[in-house]
């Protein structure tokens, strides 16, 4: 324990001396940094898939290099980058060489780019004319209702397309843009959902106008409603004085979305039977055809679950035709007629 203070002082001095030497020394490091393309003319677009990052060598003080490397490892893409100015770019293929002037490291002025001795770093680009197109959206979203509820219409996408901008060759190969695959279960009320779009299959440097869409889903409780005294019409060619339907009015029971049922009235329902069907099917009673005149906005296939007529069949009955009564004339009637004739003579 003798001279412990002196030993500690010497140790601290050695560390300080080492740190001082390190700060004066220049070291080299290899890093992957982002490639940024700037000042591209408005009428041109990237048609190829240039590298997102490039491996370069840099040199500088040890502590600066260690700080830069740690920030890059932690996902900071703003620390350093290779910036390529495309303001003079032309249509077609081109090769952009990378020099020290392309290296940007904001906040690290002492770190420099090292140009390779025996090779050139470069990025190959393909430039094409820029166009815009509206691409339809394909929904990969599944909606399932809770028991006792129904979805009364197809989910409505807003918007149902995405405007994309990019190279002509890339844009013309895009036919639809899908949403993320999402599922919603046990729904029992109408809602709007914001769904992200999936751009995994979209070529590089194609710019979409939106990253998500809104899907509107109409959910209604299932209900039943009866419409009474709906007349049944017998249509076709037949002797109207000879035939009739029994019964001639029915009850129609409709099951579907409760708000859809509220919009239906008796005047929207028509029941009819074709007269020839009785002979063709060789029966004396038939179920009438039901015609519902609904608002064009209503999706009948989804919003109406069942339609039932009560009773379910109508009979064709031949009317009883009463014979005309014969008029029997008496002799007096004839005599009176003869007398009238004689008087006229």
């Amino acid at each position: 324990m003798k001279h412990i203070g002196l030993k500690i002082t010497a140790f601290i001095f050695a560390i300080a001396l080492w740190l001082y030497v390190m700060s004066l020394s220049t070291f080299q490091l290899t890093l992957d940094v982002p490639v940024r393309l700037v000042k591209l003319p408005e009428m041109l677009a990237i048609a190829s898939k240039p590298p997102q990052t490039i491996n370069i060598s840099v040199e500088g003080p040890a502590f600066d290099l260690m700080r830069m490397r740690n920030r890059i490892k932690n996902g900071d893409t703003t620390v350093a980058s290779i910036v390529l100015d495309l303001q003079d770019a032309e249509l077609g293929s081109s090769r952009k060489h990378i020099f020290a002037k392309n290296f940007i490291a904001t906040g690290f002025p002492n770190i420099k780019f090292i140009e390779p001795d025996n090779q050139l770093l470069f990025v190959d680009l393909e430039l094409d004319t820029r166009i815009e197109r509206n691409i339809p959206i394909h929904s990969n979203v599944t909606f399932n209702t809770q028991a006792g509820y129904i979805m009364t219409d197809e989910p409505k996408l807003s918007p149902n397309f995405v405007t994309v901008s990019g190279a002509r060759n890339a844009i013309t190969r895009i036919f639809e843009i899908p949403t993320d695959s999402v599922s919603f279960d046990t729904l029992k009320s109408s809602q709007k959902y914001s769904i992200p779009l999936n751009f995994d299959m979209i070529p590089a440097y194609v710019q979409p106008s939106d990253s998500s869409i809104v899907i509107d889903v109409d959910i209604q409780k299932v209900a039943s409603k009866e419409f009474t005294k709906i007349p049944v019409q017998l249509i076709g060619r037949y002797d109207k004085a000879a035939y009739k339907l029994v019964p001639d009015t029915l009850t129609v029971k409709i099951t579907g979305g409760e708000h859809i049922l509220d919009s239906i009235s008796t005047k929207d329902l028509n029941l009819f039977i074709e007269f020839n069907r009785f002979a063709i099917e060789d029966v004396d009673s038939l179920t009438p055809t039901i015609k519902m005149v609904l608002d064009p906005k209503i999706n009948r296939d989804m919003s109406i679950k069942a339609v039932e007529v009560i009773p379910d069949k109508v009979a064709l009955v031949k009317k009883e035709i009463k014979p005309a009564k014969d008029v029997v004339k008496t002799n007096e009637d004839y005599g009176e007629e003869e007398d009238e004739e004689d008087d006229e003579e």
Side-chain angles (χ1 to χ4, degrees), residues 80-99:
S81 60
I82 293 296
V83 178
L84 298 178
D85 189 337
L86 303 181
Q87 63 179 338
D88 297 325
E90 297 180 353
L91 195 67
S93 301
S94 63
R95 172 168 289 182
K96 297 295 181 181
H97 292 283
I98 298 173
F99 304 102

Side-chain angles (χ1 to χ4, degrees), residues 224-242:
S224 294
K225 186 175 180 179
E226 292 188 353
F227 302 85
T228 60
K229 297 182 179 180
I230 307 299
V232 186
Q233 301 178 56
L234 184 62
I235 62 174
R237 288 189 172 185
Y238 68 97
D239 186 352
K240 293 181 173 56

Side-chain angles (χ1 to χ4, degrees), residues 37-175:
L37 308 178
V38 299
K39 297 183 181 180
L40 180 67
E42 291 185 3
M43 298 304 295
L44 296 179
I46 305 295
S48 57
K49 188 176 182 180
Q52 299 297 307
T53 62
I54 191 168
N55 189 266
I56 62 171
S57 295
V58 294
E59 65 178 7
F63 294 115
D64 286 349
L65 292 174
M66 286 189 290
R67 286 194 303 117
M68 176 180 283
R69 182 177 61 183
N70 288 336
R71 288 179 60 178
I72 291 176
K73 283 186 175 180
N74 291 330
D76 190 344
T77 60
T78 64
V79 178
S81 60
I82 293 296
V83 178
L84 298 178
D85 189 337
L86 303 181
Q87 63 179 338
D88 297 325
E90 297 180 353
L91 195 67
S93 301
S94 63
R95 172 168 289 182
K96 297 295 181 181
H97 292 283
I98 298 173
F99 304 102
K101 65 179 182 179
N102 302 117
F103 177 71
I104 303 296
T106 305
F108 293 91
N110 296 324
I111 295 181
K112 307 299 180 182
F113 174 81
I114 302 176
E115 296 185 8
D117 294 331
N118 54 358
Q119 63 177 355
L120 290 175
L121 291 178
F122 59 85
V123 172
D124 286 330
L125 297 175
E126 181 74 28
L127 301 181
D128 196 359
T129 305
R130 179 180 295 277
I131 64 170
E132 283 190 356
R133 280 186 61 194
N134 294 332
I135 308 297
I137 295 174
H138 174 73
S139 174
N140 286 325
V141 185
T142 303
F143 299 97
N144 298 307
T145 60
Q146 183 171 303
Y149 292 81
I150 59 171
M151 187 162 56
T152 62
D153 201 356
E154 296 290 348
K156 292 182 173 59
L157 281 62
S158 179
N160 59 2
F161 64 87
V162 173
T163 301
V164 295
S165 173
R168 179 188 299 275
N169 184 47
I171 297 296
T172 54
R173 290 185 283 113
I174 304 174
F175 300 102

